[in-house]
Amino acid sequence: MIQLLSVLFLAGLAYFLRPGAELRVFYWSGLAFRMLCGLALGWYYLIHLGAGDTTYFHEQATALFQLSGDSFSEYLHSLLTAQHPVYMGEARNEFFIKILSILYLITGGNYWISGLYLSLVGFYGSWYLVSRIYQYHPAYFTAAIASFLFLPTAMFWSSGVLKDPLINGALCMLAGFCIRYWHHTAHRLREYFLVGAGLLVLFYLKFYLVAVTSMAMGILAWAKVLDALVSRKTYKLLFTLGGAIFMGLLVTQVNKNLHFDQLPESVYNTHQVIYNDSEPDKTLHFPDLEPTYSSLIMHLPKGLIAGLFRPFIWEVNGPLIVGDLQNLLFLLLFFYSLFHAHHYRFTTLVLIAIGFITILATFLPLVSPNLGSLERYKAAYQPFLLFILLIIPTKRFLS
């Protein structure tokens, strides 16, 4: 009975969040695609492989759910007690498992319905961003639909029982807020609550994402202040650059691994651990990488190319071939946009988005060279990458 009620509540929630009639076909089709991706992810890892992060999360959340039936007071104590410091990787899993256990209370411990709830969260974040683009930049609505609702690998990894639906939903929600903030000064209290919740989710689940996102939002806020107070472009550029450097130094305090004296060693150590635990033919390797800033700087171009376009079509096979085809599309769109870029001027929002993508695309391959894991992590910025790469083709062909 509880499972039937949870399904009805889920359907009612999706119906309540629906947009106006002119956008409903995109809303329902995007939601259906995201739900199918969540079910496909569960089938592939829980049923077909019987292993993976989603299986681990399910087992741990099930144990907590069963504890709630034996002793609800002990369950609440476990829910409110952290077993690991927040900067450790285990703390991220612990935080998500607790969230999943709450969903299990709602769904009667049902993995599949809980995955649909998480898929809805990820989708709603994406839809919030798409609706803000439609509101303020309607010429790019088609590009937004393709990028944030139907990009295959990104939608697959941001659905189902994983941390990623919460992460990607929060990222898109924050991006949508940034668009609205740039065009308006007045905001509803609900939007500030969502911003705080989004940053908190990123802080607990992916510390590097909250660092890069906070930096981007800080630069955007500073740029808007300068836009109102400074008229000369030269001064505005210098002050913006100074603000970006200050924000970059500030966010290094988010986590000890980002501290200025720890960053090269953190990147190197994580790279070595992941590379040694992975099969050689399923990894990117940077054999000359050392735990120094000079070595890190020398490897940044290789990391950026890998983050944007690898694995190439001949490097992997199996399910990862979908990602290869996407990377090929990104490469073609990149050269097309580069060839025509001199005809266009990019807005402040687009430039900040490019910076956000560049930082993540550069460092993630260096930190996580495993191709399978990298494909999952890239889902955080690939929708934004596709959207940026579609701007010039959209202007030329669909305006």
Side-chain angles (χ1 to χ4, degrees):
M1 184 65 180
I2 190 173
Q3 294 176 356
L4 176 61
L5 290 175
S6 62
V7 170
L8 292 175
F9 180 77
L10 176 67
L13 188 60
Y15 184 80
F16 174 77
L17 296 173
R18 75 194 190 284
E22 70 278 6
L23 298 181
R24 284 180 189 172
V25 63
F26 303 107
Y27 173 86
W28 290 115
S29 58
L31 177 59
F33 183 66
R34 190 71 65 95
M35 295 291 189
L36 289 174
C37 285
L39 294 174
L41 183 139
W43 174 84
Y44 184 72
Y45 285 97
L46 190 67
I47 305 299
H48 180 65
L49 292 182
D53 285 354
T54 188
T55 303
Y56 171 76
F57 295 146
H58 171 58
E59 292 171 350
Q60 297 300 312
T62 298
L64 272 182
F65 171 67
Q66 292 171 346
L67 176 63
S68 70
D70 299 333
S71 173
F72 198 75
S73 60
E74 288 187 25
Y75 169 74
L76 287 178
H77 180 265
S78 177
L79 206 64
L80 300 174
T81 304
Q83 301 296 323
H84 304 279
V86 70
Y87 60 83
M88 294 181 64
E90 293 85 351
R92 297 192 288 273
N93 291 338
E94 179 188 359
F95 180 70
F96 177 72
I97 289 167
K98 291 177 179 180
I99 294 175
L100 183 59
S101 73
I102 296 173
L103 281 177
Y104 276 16
L105 289 178
I106 297 172
T107 64
N110 190 288
Y111 170 89
W112 303 99
I113 303 175
S114 299
L116 294 180
Y117 271 93
L118 289 168
S119 298
L120 177 62
V121 172
F123 169 78
Y124 183 72
S126 298
W127 182 257
Y128 180 83
L129 174 56
V130 168
S131 61
R132 294 289 80 81
I133 292 173
Y134 177 76
Q135 181 180 1
Y136 297 107
H137 304 279
Y140 305 128
F141 180 63
T142 302
I145 290 292
S147 304
F148 298 107
L149 298 186
F150 293 106
L151 183 61
T153 59
M155 298 308 101
F156 180 81
W157 290 118
S158 58
S159 307
V161 180
L162 289 174
K163 293 176 286 187
D164 304 78
L166 300 178
I167 293 169
N168 290 27
L171 283 174
C172 289
M173 184 75 68
L174 293 170
F177 175 83
C178 287
I179 293 176
R180 179 170 165 78
Y181 170 81
W182 185 253
H183 292 281
H184 289 283
T185 54
H187 302 279
R188 294 184 293 271
L189 182 62
R190 177 175 67 93
E191 291 179 308
Y192 287 110
F193 172 78
L194 290 174
V195 167
L199 290 173
L200 191 64
V201 165
L202 293 181
F203 175 76
Y204 277 104
L205 293 181
K206 293 288 183 182
F207 68 87
Y208 62 87
L209 284 179
V210 78
V212 179
T213 303
S214 300
M215 179 178 173
M217 295 178 71
I219 294 172
L220 181 68
W222 179 236
K224 187 170 183 178
V225 171
L226 292 178
D227 197 50
L229 300 179
V230 181
S231 57
R232 294 191 61 177
K233 290 184 178 180
T234 303
Y235 291 157
K236 192 180 296 184
L237 179 62
L238 290 175
F239 282 130
T240 301
L241 182 60
I245 294 173
F246 175 75
M247 295 294 174
L249 294 174
L250 195 62
V251 300
T252 60
Q253 304 306 307
V254 169
N255 186 281
K256 70 172 189 175
N257 291 316
L258 297 177
H259 291 181
F260 191 77
D261 58 337
Q262 293 287 329
L263 182 61
E265 187 174 355
S266 298
V267 171
Y268 175 80
N269 290 339
T270 307
H271 176 277
Q272 292 300 108
V273 169
I274 294 177
Y275 179 79
N276 292 331
D277 288 343
S278 304
E279 298 177 25
D281 61 335
K282 296 181 179 180
T283 58
L284 303 170
H285 189 38
F286 305 91
D288 299 326
L289 183 65
E290 297 178 355
T292 64
Y293 268 104
S294 58
S295 176
L296 186 60
I297 292 171
M298 287 179 59
H299 283 81
L300 292 183
K302 295 180 181 179
L304 180 59
I305 292 173
L308 294 178
F309 308 122
R310 293 184 68 183
F312 297 121
I313 193 103
W314 59 84
E315 290 185 299
V316 296
N317 50 35
L320 289 178
I321 194 69
V322 178
D324 294 348
L325 295 175
Q326 284 184 182
N327 292 334
L328 179 60
L329 173 64
F330 293 156
L331 186 63
L332 296 175
L333 287 173
F334 174 79
F335 282 114
Y336 181 87
S337 298
L338 191 66
F339 183 78
H340 295 283
H342 62 283
H343 295 298
Y344 302 96
R345 292 181 60 186
F346 294 109
T347 65
T348 301
L349 284 168
V350 171
L351 293 175
I352 292 176
I354 291 174
F356 171 85
I357 294 166
T358 301
I359 292 173
L360 292 178
T362 300
F363 281 94
L364 281 178
L366 297 177
V367 174
S368 179
N370 180 279
L371 291 175
S373 299
L374 181 60
E375 198 69 38
R376 174 177 167 183
Y377 298 151
K378 285 165 67 175
Y381 65 83
Q382 277 189 332
F384 297 94
L385 172 62
L386 179 59
F387 180 74
I388 296 298
L389 292 177
L390 286 174
I391 286 179
I392 290 179
T394 299
K395 282 186 174 181
R396 289 182 63 84
F397 297 110
L398 299 179
S399 61

